[in-house]
Amino acid sequence: MKFALYSGCVSKGGCPELYPAAVKVADRLGIELEELTDVGCNGAGVLPQYISDPINARTFAKAEKLGLPIMTICSTCQGVMTQANHRLIENPAYREEINREYLAEEGLEYQGTLEIKHLLWVLFEDLGIEKLQSMIQRPLTGLRISPFYGCYLRRPPEIMMPTPETRQRSTYLDKLIPILGAEFTDIAGKGKCCGFPILQSSEENSLAMAARHTGEAKGKGADAMVTPCPLCHLNLDGNQPRAEAQAGTPIGLPILHLPQFVALALGFDPDELGLSKHIVSTRAVETKVEMLS
Amino acid sequence: MQVTFDVFRKDPEPEAKPWRSNYTVELPEEATVTDGLLKIRDEVDGTLGFRASCVRGYCGECLIRVGPRNRLACTARVSDFGANGPIALNPVRIVPVLKDLVFDWDAFMWNKIKAVKPWLEPKDADGETPVSDAQMKDVRKAMSCYYCGLCDEGCTALPEDFNFLGPAALTKASRFVSDPRDKNTPARLKILEQAKGIWDCVHCFEASEHCPRHIDPTERIVAMRDLAFKTGITNEKVARHHTSFAASVKESGWVDEGRLAVESEGLTNIPGLIRLLPTAIKATIRGKAPLPYMHPKRPGADRIKRIFEKGEQKTR
């Protein structure tokens, strides 16, 4: 089980706690990673397709050359790259044009065979839940967790989960929470947008979305929220104090990255997971977890 | 089969308090929610207000919430909902209600569609502008919208801001922006780039998922944003952000998040930069504030730069 790791920018920038936590968890689970370093930002839905599609085709060609599927640790990277891959696979003439005009001069060619998977999907589809369960050292009993997927991991469904089997992806995070021993605290907004994409253009709406989702989880008694998307984390954790100020109500909901949440169940010490870098204190979660040890 | 409906009621007076009515009627297995509503109005309660027109899933007039989801009442079969007690019928979210299940379509959609100038402004007003079938393919897709409002009902941004134009009106706008016969694309884009327009969309793909005609409203909004990027973004805040984002990827292969935060506010925008300070200080204390302009190049950054240059040249 080996993947080409596409780290994304945020896991080493705005959320520097994510990358090391993901690498540690993958190592513990026996997921071998070869990091793609000589590749560019996928565009994150900001760069126009006429620039991001060739950049992504180049990334895909490099992974294809290694003979490895890509693993991401970011819902936005996953969504943007899956959509680009879909266009390149479904439209061979378009792929050929990009190969000819952008990749050929570097001696690269994308043949359209690459698979791209988020760590969350890898846990269910490659590692397998039985294996994961067998490696749990510390069931997270009594910890109430709400899921937050990030829009790009589930939509558009015909591209992100195109077959009856992959349609299960829409509930992986819901299922993972009780698998790790925690209590699943459902929220209506788990598949909605966190607000991050419009932070510049419409800050008020963006912060209102962050307050709505974190507030909903808090109101339902969650101890924390878990997200597979570091961009969601930036808005839900990093901007939570501003969202609270705008909404005029305290929230104080810790937001865990997916690998941190898995790592806690695998028995990692909370101190190893970069939780001190979060803006909203995770102390209450750590205390609960430490009492389980 | 016996079906019970639990229906939202409200009188037209603005101050009137809503209440709920329960109706139990006998319906055939294949009956739709609209069949049920018509039977209630004809046989049980003539005061119940709801909309219905084509009764074949085409006109969109009967959009309501059936149970937890927005549906066209005339295509929602009662047998799919009735197993767990009464079927809850509600007006769509966030829209002013006129009476019972009848909501204000003008506020919900039509006023917004009018705001995007939904008519063609031909390049050649007197003669003909011949266009190829391929050029019209996308335009025709947008033209197949029948204004059912399901995309607006599913939109993530509208519940936060009812004045956002929403995917239905923006899809209508894209129908003219992408029409090769229209002469006003730059002016249209400029209007659409203002607050409440294309840049307020979170591109979460809810609209595309909700569209029953597979028109992909989200893709259309993204295409208009890409076009704005190509021709020069006129929304000042977005322009600063996107220009900085593109510049750092072009120069180093990936995003310089510190630089992006500072340049998005504007380097000469002192109040804006001061406003950033509390978040920046908190992030610095926690050891997670990326320092602007201290951003190493990725290996292969020159190849990314080359792709940018070629892409920009090609679309010029």
Side-chain angles (χ1 to χ4, degrees):
Chain A
M1 194 176 19
K2 188 173 175 183
F3 290 87
L5 174 66
Y6 182 87
S7 72
C9 303
V10 183
S11 76
K12 292 177 172 179
C15 293
E17 66 280 4
L18 172 58
Y19 176 82
V23 170
K24 280 177 194 169
V25 163
D27 183 53
R28 177 72 62 89
L29 294 172
I31 302 168
E32 204 181 332
L33 298 175
E34 182 167 340
E35 187 168 346
L36 294 167
T37 51
D38 174 14
V39 292
C41 163
N42 59 63
V46 173
L47 295 181
Q49 278 171 21
Y50 65 86
I51 288 176
S52 59
D53 276 359
I55 294 179
N56 286 318
R58 180 176 177 273
T59 304
F60 303 161
K62 285 186 168 277
E64 201 176 47
K65 213 170 165 184
L66 289 173
L68 296 174
I70 284 182
M71 186 180 95
T72 67
I73 49 176
C74 168
S75 299
T76 304
C77 294
Q78 182 66 41
V80 171
M81 295 206 298
T82 307
Q83 288 186 45
N85 201 24
H86 179 78
R87 285 189 288 277
L88 293 165
I89 290 173
E90 292 298 305
N91 189 345
Y94 180 53
R95 186 173 75 240
E96 283 321 307
E97 183 193 329
I98 286 183
N99 277 332
R100 190 176 59 245
E101 299 195 8
Y102 293 91
L103 306 192
E105 62 182 64
E106 202 183 340
L108 288 171
E109 183 193 357
Y110 180 48
Q111 295 175 355
T113 64
L114 187 78
E115 206 179 3
I116 309 162
K117 284 187 162 184
H118 191 284
L119 168 64
L120 179 64
W121 301 353
V122 170
L123 295 180
F124 281 80
E125 295 167 13
D126 299 272
L127 180 74
I129 286 316
E130 280 178 21
K131 176 90 188 288
L132 178 63
Q133 274 168 328
S134 75
M135 300 179 80
I136 295 174
Q137 299 282 319
R138 178 169 51 206
L140 302 171
T141 316
L143 204 61
R144 285 166 301 193
I145 302 286
S146 288
F148 198 85
Y149 286 85
C151 345
Y152 282 122
L153 202 55
R154 307 204 304 179
R155 283 187 299 268
E158 65 276 13
I159 294 175
M160 301 310 290
M161 12 191 189
T163 61
E165 296 78 44
T166 51
R167 224 150 280 157
Q168 305 298 320
R169 289 172 179 169
S170 67
T171 55
Y172 280 170
L173 204 50
D174 297 22
K175 289 183 181 128
L176 182 70
I177 291 166
I179 285 169
L180 299 183
E183 195 180 309
F184 171 57
T185 307
D186 203 7
I187 54 165
K190 66 187 173 189
K192 298 286 180 192
C193 175
C194 66
F196 187 75
I198 53 167
L199 189 58
Q200 280 309 315
S201 55
S202 184
E203 184 179 295
E204 201 180 329
N205 293 352
S206 171
L207 296 178
M209 288 178 199
R212 179 188 289 262
H213 304 311
T214 51
E216 187 191 359
K218 190 75 179 180
K220 288 188 170 163
D223 295 308
M225 184 181 261
V226 62
T227 180
C229 182
L231 277 75
C232 293
H233 197 275
L234 286 175
N235 219 34
L236 300 173
D237 174 66
N239 283 328
Q240 201 181 119
R242 290 165 74 201
E244 285 172 327
Q246 182 179 293
T249 172
I251 299 168
L253 183 77
I255 315 292
L256 302 176
H257 294 287
L258 171 73
Q260 291 173 328
F261 177 52
V262 176
L264 289 174
L266 293 178
F268 281 91
D269 192 294
D271 290 346
E272 295 177 75
L273 303 173
L275 292 164
S276 62
K277 290 193 188 298
H278 292 206
I279 297 297
V280 178
S281 169
T282 56
R283 182 92 308 263
V285 173
E286 291 171 57
T287 307
K288 267 197 164 186
V289 170
E290 278 155 5
M291 282 165 71
L292 296 169
S293 306
Chain B
M1 64 188 284
Q2 261 203 345
V3 182
T4 302
F5 294 98
D6 165 29
V7 187
F8 175 93
R9 305 295 306 275
K10 186 182 174 300
D11 285 334
E13 296 73 30
E15 68 281 3
K17 284 217 163 95
W19 77 98
R20 300 195 77 86
S21 294
N22 267 44
Y23 303 103
T24 302
V25 285
E26 190 66 31
L27 291 167
E29 279 289 327
E30 69 279 9
T32 65
V33 170
T34 297
D35 292 333
L37 288 169
L38 288 166
K39 186 156 185 174
I40 293 165
R41 195 184 62 187
D42 292 347
E43 297 177 12
V44 187
D45 183 353
T47 70
L48 176 63
F50 60 92
R51 280 200 173 101
S53 184
C54 76
V55 198
R56 55 192 300 191
Y58 197 84
C59 72
E61 190 76 4
C62 60
L63 175 65
I64 57 169
R65 286 184 86 76
V66 183
R69 295 200 57 196
N70 42 291
R71 294 289 301 268
L72 299 180
C74 70
T75 58
R77 296 208 178 274
V78 288
S79 52
D80 292 341
F81 295 90
N84 303 314
I87 302 174
L89 302 182
N90 288 291
V92 298
R93 308 171 303 169
I94 62 172
V95 187
V97 170
L98 299 179
K99 173 172 167 45
D100 303 338
L101 300 173
V102 178
F103 61 84
D104 186 347
W105 269 100
D106 280 344
F108 181 52
M109 199 170 73
W110 295 119
N111 291 344
K112 295 174 182 181
I113 286 187
K114 283 179 197 159
V116 303
K117 291 193 176 183
W119 56 84
L120 190 81
E121 298 180 280
K123 283 176 180 156
D124 184 350
D126 301 322
E128 291 176 359
T129 310
V131 287
S132 69
D133 188 59
Q135 278 177 299
M136 290 303 285
K137 199 177 155 209
D138 248 19
V139 182
R140 265 205 305 272
K141 205 173 166 191
M143 283 164 79
S144 72
C145 171
Y146 54 34
Y147 311 109
C148 68
L150 281 167
C151 58
D152 278 355
E153 225 289 306
C155 173
T156 307
L158 276 169
E160 306 303 344
D161 185 356
F162 189 62
N163 293 320
F164 170 49
L165 283 172
L170 291 174
T171 297
K172 185 68 179 174
S174 83
R175 176 249 170 280
F176 296 104
V177 165
S178 56
D179 192 319
R181 299 166 300 175
D182 194 86
K183 67 176 180 190
N184 271 339
T185 299
R188 286 184 188 279
L189 271 182
K190 205 167 178 183
I191 294 170
L192 295 168
E193 283 200 63
Q194 289 167 8
K196 319 296 176 197
I198 50 175
W199 299 113
D200 278 27
C201 163
V202 297
H203 51 94
C204 64
F205 291 91
E206 283 271 8
S208 292
E209 192 177 351
H210 280 74
C211 176
R213 306 219 72 184
H214 308 292
I215 295 167
D216 292 331
T218 315
E219 285 284 5
R220 268 153 224 293
I221 296 168
V222 169
M224 288 191 285
R225 288 154 76 130
D226 284 6
L227 185 61
F229 193 102
K230 197 188 291 184
T231 53
I233 296 170
T234 57
N235 179 314
E236 207 182 307
K237 279 195 225 167
V238 176
R240 281 199 303 264
H241 174 266
H242 281 43
T243 305
S244 174
F245 190 106
S248 72
V249 176
K250 188 175 178 179
E251 284 162 25
S252 66
W254 54 318
V255 181
D256 179 344
E257 289 168 84
R259 170 181 172 181
L260 184 61
V262 175
E263 291 184 349
S264 291
E265 283 300 325
L267 287 172
T268 53
N269 174 12
I270 305 302
L273 293 172
I274 290 172
R275 217 170 46 90
L276 272 186
L277 267 181
T279 311
I281 290 169
K282 250 180 227 148
T284 307
I285 292 169
R286 301 290 161 90
K288 64 182 306 177
L291 289 174
Y293 310 105
M294 308 288 280
H295 190 66
K297 274 189 182 183
R298 281 239 163 150
D302 55 326
R303 307 304 316 186
I304 303 295
K305 190 173 184 182
R306 178 102 178 109
I307 288 175
F308 259 90
E309 286 166 351
K310 278 194 147 182
E312 286 160 355
Q313 207 172 21
K314 209 166 162 243
T315 53
R316 201 165 283 157

